[in-house]
Amino acid sequence: MTVERTKVCIIGSGPAGHTAAIYAARAELQPVMLEGWMANGIAAGGQLTTTHEVENFPGFPEGILGGEICEKFRAQSVRFGTKIYSETATRVDLSSRPFHVYTDEREVVADTIILATGAVARRLPFPGSDEGSGGFWNKGISACAVCDGAAPMFRNQPIAVIGGGDSAMEEAHFLTKYGSKVFIIHRRDELRASKIMQKRVLEHPKIEVIWDSVVEEAYGNAKGLLGGVKVKNVKTGAITDVPLAGLFFAIGHEPATAFLDGQLKLDEDKYVITAPDSTATSVPGVFAAGDVQDKKYRQAITAAGTGCMAALEVERFLEEHGTA
């Protein structure tokens, strides 16, 4: 197994990881990045690679494809000297500095670590829900209303949200600014959301809840985009056709923290806990940026901001503590 020595190892390759890499490389810390190889079922670059068009990242007034902006992130990291390996971190040893990060091919010995492994939106498997042939992912189906809800294809069209918690209520309410009607599809006869969020959506004239129901399949329209869904009532078995231009999953996210094996403090949803106004974790010298520690905003631009914070904090940490 190859052994690599570095002042900072960045695990992950989305906007948080690459922003951290750019700042660290410009500070001459010679970062090593493990960008992952289909880590969590997603290509290097993270969730942005599954987004068709990004319209809310500054600097791209005409919008940019998700895959293309990830390529630009990577090229900028490489330009300043980041060493990138297309390998997935499978385990870490955080018991003492220097830390040890392992992939199937190498061991990285690092004075500091920046975790930027992200989180993956939970999706439901049903015919038409994926990216493959006959699927409508990024063709009307999404997992981020804030990211995609303002797209022209959804304006003045019926839209649906799957979920019953606060996030689903927030996304449904947000989508009322764009859609002609917003359905909330929920498999139970009561919502899990807080009472105030329930009241907000149940009293909204544009929102209708489809109770006790699950999506059986999604189908397309003449343009090859989402045309609607077949919804099954779990109590009666009745199937209903619901024409839609958009369908948004709002059933939570899975942060990529399993490989840490309990060596960092996580919250009840397994997100890395960081100090207030900081990216510092429970282990000195280990920092976390992006969606792996942010379950509130989950945006590319906020991830990039925390990546910058992490790199600056790494630089300060190394100045104060020196390299091992």
Side-chain angles (χ1 to χ4, degrees), residues 204-224:
H204 199 291
K206 274 191 174 184
I207 296 177
E208 177 183 336
V209 181
I210 302 177
W211 302 101
D212 301 314
S213 297
V214 296
V215 175
E216 286 284 283
E217 66 173 292
Y219 60 85
N221 60 20
K223 297 179 180 179

Side-chain angles (χ1 to χ4, degrees), residues 19-316:
T19 303
I22 292 163
Y23 272 78
R26 284 170 55 84
E28 300 184 347
L29 298 182
Q30 300 175 318
V32 168
M33 171 182 282
L34 301 175
E35 68 176 353
W37 178 255
M38 295 306 294
N40 308 299
I42 296 180
Q47 288 192 86
L48 273 185
T49 63
T50 70
T51 301
H52 177 64
E53 189 169 15
V54 179
E55 296 183 316
N56 56 3
F57 200 94
F60 303 97
E62 304 303 320
I64 185 170
L65 297 178
E68 185 180 354
I69 195 172
C70 291
E71 290 173 2
K72 290 181 179 293
F73 291 158
R74 192 181 196 277
Q76 195 168 353
S77 293
V78 170
R79 176 194 168 195
F80 291 111
T82 303
K83 189 180 292 186
I84 300 178
Y85 296 106
S86 299
E87 301 169 14
T88 301
T90 55
R91 63 188 179 94
V92 295
D93 180 356
L94 307 181
S95 59
S96 62
R97 292 182 58 232
F99 305 117
H100 298 261
V101 183
Y102 300 90
T103 73
D104 290 340
E105 290 81 21
R106 77 187 65 245
E107 173 187 357
V108 179
V109 181
D111 295 308
T112 58
I113 291 175
I114 295 175
L115 295 170
T117 47
V120 179
R122 296 191 186 106
R123 293 157 60 175
L124 296 175
F126 51 80
S129 67
D130 59 18
E131 302 95 328
S133 177
F136 300 99
W137 182 257
N138 282 330
K139 298 178 182 177
I141 299 181
S142 170
C144 183
V146 175
C147 311
D148 302 326
M153 66 185 294
F154 301 131
R155 291 183 180 262
N156 300 311
Q157 299 294 323
I159 307 170
V161 174
I162 298 177
D166 278 353
S167 293
M169 303 305 107
E170 289 173 5
E171 298 217 344
H173 195 268
F174 173 82
L175 289 167
T176 60
K177 294 188 287 186
Y178 308 106
S180 58
K181 188 174 186 66
V182 177
F183 297 97
I184 296 173
I185 302 172
H186 187 48
R187 64 179 299 117
R188 298 181 177 85
D189 58 6
E190 61 180 3
L191 299 170
R192 293 180 289 104
S194 60
K195 296 299 183 184
I196 189 169
M197 291 303 298
Q198 290 189 44
K199 186 174 188 294
R200 185 178 298 175
V201 300
L202 293 174
E203 293 180 354
H204 199 291
K206 274 191 174 184
I207 296 177
E208 177 183 336
V209 181
I210 302 177
W211 302 101
D212 301 314
S213 297
V214 296
V215 175
E216 286 284 283
E217 66 173 292
Y219 60 85
N221 60 20
K223 297 179 180 179
L225 303 174
L226 180 69
V229 294
K230 301 289 186 180
V231 174
K232 178 182 178 180
N233 186 291
V234 296
K235 290 184 176 178
T236 67
I239 303 291
T240 304
D241 181 26
V242 182
L244 298 171
L247 178 67
F248 292 85
F249 294 117
I251 53 175
H253 289 70
E254 290 284 350
T257 54
F259 75 103
L260 298 172
D261 196 28
Q263 296 179 75
L264 288 181
K265 286 185 179 178
L266 310 178
D267 70 9
E268 66 276 8
D269 297 315
K270 300 182 180 179
Y271 286 82
V272 176
I273 296 174
T274 53
D277 300 319
S278 172
T279 62
T281 70
S282 58
V283 174
V286 179
F287 303 84
D291 288 9
V292 75
Q293 55 86 50
D294 171 25
K295 59 183 178 182
K296 181 176 182 180
Y297 298 106
R298 298 194 297 263
Q299 300 298 302
I301 192 67
T302 52
T306 55
C308 167
M309 290 170 60
L312 295 176
E313 289 186 278
V314 159
E315 185 177 7
R316 188 177 305 116

